Amino acid sequence: MAQEMAMLHDIARCSACRACMVACKQWHDLPADMSTPFEGQYQSHATLTPTTWTLIRMTEHTDDKGKFNWDFVKTQCMHCGDPACAKGCPEEAIDKLASGAVVINEEKCVGCGYCVANCPFDVPKINPQTHKSTKCDLCFDRIEEGITPSCAKTCTADALQFAPYEEIEEIARQRVAELKAEGHPDANVYNPQGVGGVHMIYVLPEKPMVYGFNPQSKTPVSIDIWKDVVRPLGKLAGAGALVGVLGLAAVKGLTGKKKQDDDQNGKGEH
Amino acid sequence: MSKSITYIKRHKKGFIYFHWINAVTFFLLFLTAMPLYTNKFLFLYEAFGAETLQTMHHILGVIFILNPIVALLITARSGIFTLIREVLRFDKDDVKFLVKFPAELIGREPKGMPKQGFYNGGERMNILLQALLWLGFVVSGLTLWLGAGHISPTIRTWMIPLHSLCADLGFAAAIGHIYLAIGVNPDSFQGMRDGTVKESYAKHHHAKWVDSLEKEGKLETVERIVK
């Protein structure tokens, strides 16, 4: 499907049933992940892991009216419009598809971790077993067949929705208007433009920071400097030094003047 | 016909080991990282496995970090401050040297070269460059390798271009350095093999140093018969 798509997580609707997490594991055939020991918490995993590509993160806050809130935030790849991971990948192993999905090509991935270092959302994780980078692929294979990604498909609360980009934007706007009417004046759509917009859009009842989102998230400039300046410069400098040295050697050989340092006495005048 | 040639002791054994360990680790570090730099070197990953080369890069990195620290602490402890003072000194003789020196690159002998000390102006610039590159490599390399979770992502992302920039400059400088040692002044190369250089070479290229050794009575010479 060549159409640009988007997913929406409506935090006000999420009940943290975590069916999305299970559906993701089923579709991608990912094993159970016991990396976070149970210490009495409700949140299943501390962070995303190489085999947990989506996670319901739980945050707590008390609003200005003194009301306690327990919020559930679906954490996963944001599928940026200007993906730093793809830009920073030395092997061009990460593609941004027409649907908006940003997908790692496991065949090409060498596990260098540049995507991990460059991602403004701390999403990709290197799988130590396969030495490949891993993350949510927005079920790009399902999208190509016209099917909704597994997480959105399974969501019973309509907290997750998947549709063409403009449609999702419209739904998000409506939901924010509803939330404002319900007494959440700070309600907003989280779609940071610093990363070229995202294809994983959130409807937030409060300011982004409350949920650990940075409204200023942006694709780092450093990666452009690396790819467009430092790397070409290095090739130029390396090749230049080699060619230069060969040229000098050739001139030296042709002009044929051998140094006379071999003399016992050398050149006294120097 | 054989003749006797006088050699002067120039480098300590420890310094020679330090130099070669640094040189070999630098080139292996360079090679193990090349596949991330250009696809022309991807065959190295295909031949040895990406993970193997990345692990090797880490191990070599540790050697690259420890080598100068160990060398400075053990073999050059007494001379650290002299070295730093030497390297940071830059006077009008150095300027004159740098202006006249390029002719040597094509085998000419510039006239009126000022007398040079233990290191000439160009060598001292190289030492300073290498020291800065080492620092750049170590800070950026360690941050990328171990910085996750400790150092802000914004800083970490800048370490990728910094690390590469150090490699750019380091490789170009190394090529120039090798050419000078093998092509231009093969006598200086001897100093990195057994620590001695021909007296004639020393007087020609490092007259100030030889003068000061003679004055202090510290000149150590070796006679060798060559055919």
Side-chain angles (χ1 to χ4, degrees):
Chain A
M1 192 186 283
Q3 196 179 8
E4 190 177 1
M5 307 296 287
M7 194 183 290
L8 175 78
H9 187 221
D10 189 338
I11 286 186
R13 278 186 164 154
C14 181
S15 64
C17 73
R18 291 175 280 200
C20 52
M21 292 179 64
V22 177
C24 175
K25 293 230 174 203
Q26 277 184 335
W27 181 255
H28 294 101
D29 211 4
L30 296 168
D33 171 4
M34 312 297 277
S35 59
T36 301
F38 182 72
E39 284 165 353
Q41 74 276 31
Y42 277 103
Q43 186 174 315
S44 57
H45 302 77
T47 56
L48 295 176
T49 74
T51 54
T52 301
W53 297 354
T54 187
L55 165 69
I56 295 295
R57 192 161 46 81
M58 302 186 170
T59 64
E60 297 172 6
H61 82 278
T62 308
D63 62 22
D64 25 357
K65 288 169 206 113
K67 193 180 162 201
F68 176 79
N69 287 268
W70 194 20
D71 305 300
F72 314 124
V73 185
K74 186 175 192 280
T75 308
Q76 60 158 79
C77 174
M78 303 292 276
H79 298 279
C80 305
D82 186 15
C85 58
K87 254 187 182 170
C89 178
E91 308 305 342
E92 275 141 26
I94 306 180
D95 296 308
K96 192 189 137 196
L97 307 180
S99 61
V102 176
V103 181
I104 297 173
N105 181 342
E106 270 213 15
E107 299 269 296
K108 285 191 187 174
C109 175
V110 295
C112 68
Y114 278 23
C115 53
V116 179
N118 280 309
C119 175
F121 302 101
D122 194 22
V123 167
K125 303 278 179 251
I126 305 289
N127 184 334
Q129 266 90 51
T130 58
H131 198 65
K132 302 280 179 189
S133 187
T134 59
K135 68 170 195 65
C136 157
D137 59 7
L138 204 63
C139 290
F140 75 101
D141 44 355
R142 290 173 65 105
I143 298 174
E144 276 166 13
E145 298 300 325
I147 316 173
T148 300
S150 60
C151 57
K153 182 78 184 170
T154 202
C155 183
T156 52
D158 269 353
L160 282 173
Q161 299 192 50
F162 184 78
Y165 194 87
E166 290 76 21
E167 232 173 273
I168 287 292
E169 271 188 315
E170 186 47 39
I171 297 171
R173 265 194 298 273
Q174 282 173 15
R175 280 293 296 148
V176 165
E178 283 172 30
L179 285 168
K180 281 189 171 163
E182 284 169 17
H184 295 282
D186 288 334
N188 65 93
V189 178
Y190 183 67
N191 185 6
Q193 294 306 304
V195 296
V198 292
H199 296 84
M200 178 68 201
I201 293 169
Y202 292 82
V203 165
L204 308 176
E206 309 285 335
K207 290 197 175 86
M209 290 308 242
V210 170
Y211 309 99
F213 284 122
N214 178 4
Q216 308 304 329
S217 280
K218 57 174 180 285
T219 309
V221 189
S222 52
I223 204 60
D224 290 310
I225 303 274
W226 181 70
K227 211 149 197 171
D228 301 334
V229 181
V230 175
R231 241 169 38 149
L233 185 85
K235 287 174 190 170
L236 206 69
L242 283 169
V243 170
V245 156
L246 289 175
L248 288 171
V251 174
K252 187 169 172 273
L254 286 175
T255 53
K257 271 200 86 179
K258 277 221 156 182
K259 287 188 148 196
Q260 298 302 308
D261 285 341
D262 296 2
D263 278 2
Q264 259 282 41
N265 302 318
K267 303 239 167 179
E269 59 184 290
H270 292 294
Chain B
M1 196 181 84
S2 61
K3 56 181 178 177
S4 164
I5 292 183
T6 311
Y7 286 81
I8 297 181
K9 277 202 81 171
R10 180 165 165 82
H11 295 299
K12 286 182 179 164
K13 274 271 168 324
F15 183 72
I16 296 171
Y17 283 124
F18 157 70
H19 171 269
W20 287 114
I21 293 171
N22 190 61
V24 170
T25 46
F26 176 82
F27 273 101
L28 289 176
L29 280 162
F30 192 78
L31 273 180
T32 50
M34 274 309 267
L36 291 184
Y37 213 76
T38 159
N39 283 344
K40 291 193 184 73
F41 279 79
L42 211 52
F43 72 91
L44 287 175
Y45 270 0
E46 278 151 17
F48 300 102
E51 195 176 2
T52 316
L53 291 195
Q54 286 159 16
T55 309
M56 265 181 73
H57 194 80
H58 286 160
I59 295 169
L60 289 161
V62 172
I63 301 173
F64 187 77
I65 293 170
L66 292 180
N67 182 41
I69 295 174
V70 171
L72 281 175
L73 288 183
I74 293 173
T75 65
R77 198 171 37 201
S78 54
I80 290 180
F81 294 108
T82 323
L83 180 79
I84 294 172
R85 221 179 304 126
E86 263 284 293
V87 168
L88 294 179
R89 183 175 63 79
F90 203 79
D91 54 30
K92 63 176 190 300
D93 273 2
D94 294 317
V95 178
K96 229 187 244 174
F97 170 85
L98 290 174
V99 171
K100 289 176 182 290
F101 177 72
E104 278 198 44
L105 290 174
I106 51 167
R108 300 293 169 83
E109 292 217 25
K111 292 265 178 295
M113 206 51 145
K115 283 185 172 183
Q116 297 291 316
F118 188 84
Y119 290 121
N120 65 39
E123 286 167 333
R124 290 209 307 277
M125 277 169 66
N126 182 51
I127 293 171
L128 189 61
L129 175 72
Q130 296 300 334
L132 291 175
L133 290 180
W134 180 83
L135 198 66
F137 273 129
V138 172
V139 169
S140 57
L142 286 179
T143 307
L144 283 171
W145 183 12
L146 307 167
H150 307 290
I151 291 160
S152 105
T154 322
I155 294 173
R156 266 168 61 223
T157 59
W158 277 104
M159 293 302 142
I160 294 175
L162 177 62
H163 205 69
S164 290
L165 188 66
C166 289
D168 294 354
L169 296 173
F171 181 73
I175 295 296
H177 182 73
I178 292 167
Y179 176 66
L180 285 170
I182 296 173
V184 179
N185 284 314
D187 288 330
S188 70
F189 191 43
Q190 172 104 36
M192 271 304 138
R193 292 208 299 268
D194 61 14
T196 66
V197 290
K198 283 176 186 163
E199 191 184 28
S200 58
Y201 163 84
K203 281 185 172 164
H204 188 164
H205 291 272
H206 302 283
K208 248 188 229 171
W209 168 59
V210 179
D211 289 351
S212 73
L213 282 183
E214 275 172 346
K215 212 160 66 190
E216 291 166 32
K218 283 185 185 163
L219 194 70
E220 284 181 65
T221 56
V222 188
E223 294 290 328
R224 287 206 189 93
I225 308 294
V226 286
K227 277 184 185 140

